[in-house]
Amino acid sequence: MTNRLGRLDLNLLKAFVVTYNEKKLRKAALKLQITPPALSVKISKLNHYFDEVLFVKTPDGFIPTPFADDLYNGINELLAGIETHVGQVGQFVPAELDETVKIAIGRHQIPWLAPKLYHRVRELAPDCKLIIDACGSVHVSDLLTTDIDLIVDLEMPVDKLVSGYEVGTHHWEYVVRKGHPLNGTVSLEQATDYEIGLIHDSTLPHGVKTNDLEELISKGTPARIGICTPSFAAMLEILLTTDVICPMYKPLYLEHDSILKSISIEPTKFLPEFPIFAYIHKKNRYSRKHLWLIDLIKQELSAGYN
């Protein structure tokens, strides 16, 4: 019996199990959706393979031999388990997800995207445990060495084993507190009378200016940066208690538009948009779970502007 399994067609065992259960060739062939002669050939192959007789033909149908009884008892449940598992491989039902999912999100997105994503995952996959980190403590290379499933951030250099998917665009608004002296559309000269606050993300390329005000400062205008911090909570407190102007990610502003307002600065020539990417290990690019997460993030980023 050594190495027999390597030469055995599992479809023959399936034919045997169905024939054993049905006891009639025609009924078994109908269930297998093949012809009776084709089924007879399969049983003959098994007789030859085991060098045993599996069934005795009678006027009432097939009677299994003792060897067939022993074979059936040994493989029936095993074969059923294989069929079940093979049928489920690759299937993904969010409601059945009962594992931990780890996601890292960039500083500009995490204050508003994290709670939105949590509620969507909780709605669709109630048994899933979601862990969200800030990208400041996670690097894209961690996808290769840790159990992080996905990173959402601005575009960055990636390893050849990392796949990136564009999931949205980083849009800016000039934001001030409600009650700020500036309203509606103002000139660059008016805006530079006030200090600028910047929520800087460490993933921005070195030297990249994020807005017109920062560009003017680099050219020697009277305006100055009063505060630069990666913390949105700190910037929000400063905005509410001062007249600072802050270029802010639009969905982040919309989450707080009851206490903040946006202004337009004309002419606006330098308020760039940055693509947002979801990064995963390349081995997961066909994973239905990861593709589902990426689709959820796309939906939430899109909804953030509505």
Side-chain angles (χ1 to χ4, degrees), residues 115-140:
K116 298 277 189 184
L117 198 56
Y118 167 78
H119 288 301
R120 286 300 308 278
V121 171
R122 178 65 58 230
E123 174 191 354
L124 300 173
D127 295 325
C128 172
K129 178 182 178 182
L130 186 62
I131 296 177
I132 297 178
D133 284 324
C135 283
S137 60
V138 175
H139 189 267
V140 69

Side-chain angles (χ1 to χ4, degrees), residues 1-247:
M1 298 290 288
T2 304
N3 293 328
R4 271 189 165 182
L5 188 57
R7 297 181 284 110
L8 179 60
D9 183 352
L10 292 181
N11 288 316
L12 297 181
L13 294 180
K14 172 67 175 178
F16 161 74
V17 167
V18 173
T19 303
Y20 186 98
N21 287 329
E22 297 297 333
K23 301 296 190 293
K24 293 183 181 295
L25 191 67
R26 188 173 296 279
K27 288 180 64 177
L30 184 63
K31 192 165 187 178
L32 290 166
Q33 297 183 324
I34 59 177
T35 64
L39 177 55
S40 181
V41 170
K42 290 180 181 291
I43 298 301
S44 296
K45 286 182 178 180
L46 281 175
N47 287 337
H48 178 73
Y49 179 84
F50 289 113
D51 195 21
E52 295 279 354
V53 175
L54 296 175
F55 298 103
V56 176
K57 189 175 181 179
T58 72
D60 295 324
F62 284 172
I63 297 177
T65 64
F67 180 86
D69 289 333
D70 188 45
L71 179 61
Y72 178 86
N73 292 333
I75 70 168
N76 181 43
E77 291 187 7
L78 181 61
L79 193 61
I82 291 173
E83 288 181 327
T84 299
H85 183 72
V86 169
Q88 292 175 346
V89 168
Q91 291 184 356
F92 176 72
V93 180
E96 297 176 357
L97 185 63
D98 61 353
E99 60 191 68
T100 298
V101 170
K102 294 186 178 181
I103 300 176
I105 302 177
R107 288 193 182 99
H108 285 283
Q109 293 82 39
I110 196 170
W112 73 275
L113 181 58
K116 298 277 189 184
L117 198 56
Y118 167 78
H119 288 301
R120 286 300 308 278
V121 171
R122 178 65 58 230
E123 174 191 354
L124 300 173
D127 295 325
C128 172
K129 178 182 178 182
L130 186 62
I131 296 177
I132 297 178
D133 284 324
C135 283
S137 60
V138 175
H139 189 267
V140 69
S141 62
D142 292 332
L143 288 167
L144 309 179
T145 58
T146 70
D147 55 355
I148 292 176
D149 289 288
L150 189 145
I151 293 176
V152 181
D153 209 341
L154 303 179
E155 188 172 11
M156 63 183 78
V158 296
D159 186 275
K160 62 181 180 180
L161 293 178
V162 172
S163 293
Y165 300 84
E166 188 169 341
V167 291
T169 304
H170 190 103
H171 299 276
W172 302 87
E173 292 278 340
Y174 290 117
V175 175
V176 296
R177 65 177 173 84
K178 288 283 180 73
H180 192 284
L182 296 181
N183 291 286
T185 300
V186 300
S187 68
L188 275 171
E189 288 71 21
Q190 288 176 295
T192 55
D193 287 338
Y194 298 89
E195 285 190 339
I196 302 164
L198 298 176
I199 306 174
H200 254 303
D201 195 315
S202 61
T203 61
L204 284 177
H206 178 68
V208 167
K209 308 295 189 301
T210 60
N211 57 84
D212 294 270
L213 300 180
E214 202 176 350
E215 175 78 351
L216 282 177
I217 288 170
S218 71
K219 295 178 179 178
T221 66
R224 69 185 184 90
I225 297 176
I227 176 68
C228 182
T229 175
S231 169
F232 169 73
M235 184 58 69
L236 180 61
E237 179 64 23
I238 290 166
L239 281 170
L240 295 178
T241 55
T242 70
D243 287 337
V244 162
I245 300 173
C246 177

Side-chain angles (χ1 to χ4, degrees), residues 238-262:
I238 290 166
L239 281 170
L240 295 178
T241 55
T242 70
D243 287 337
V244 162
I245 300 173
C246 177
M248 186 179 292
Y249 187 41
K250 185 174 181 179
L252 197 52
Y253 152 66
L254 292 175
E255 288 288 302
H256 300 83
D257 63 356
S258 62
I259 53 177
L260 301 175
K261 66 181 179 181
S262 66

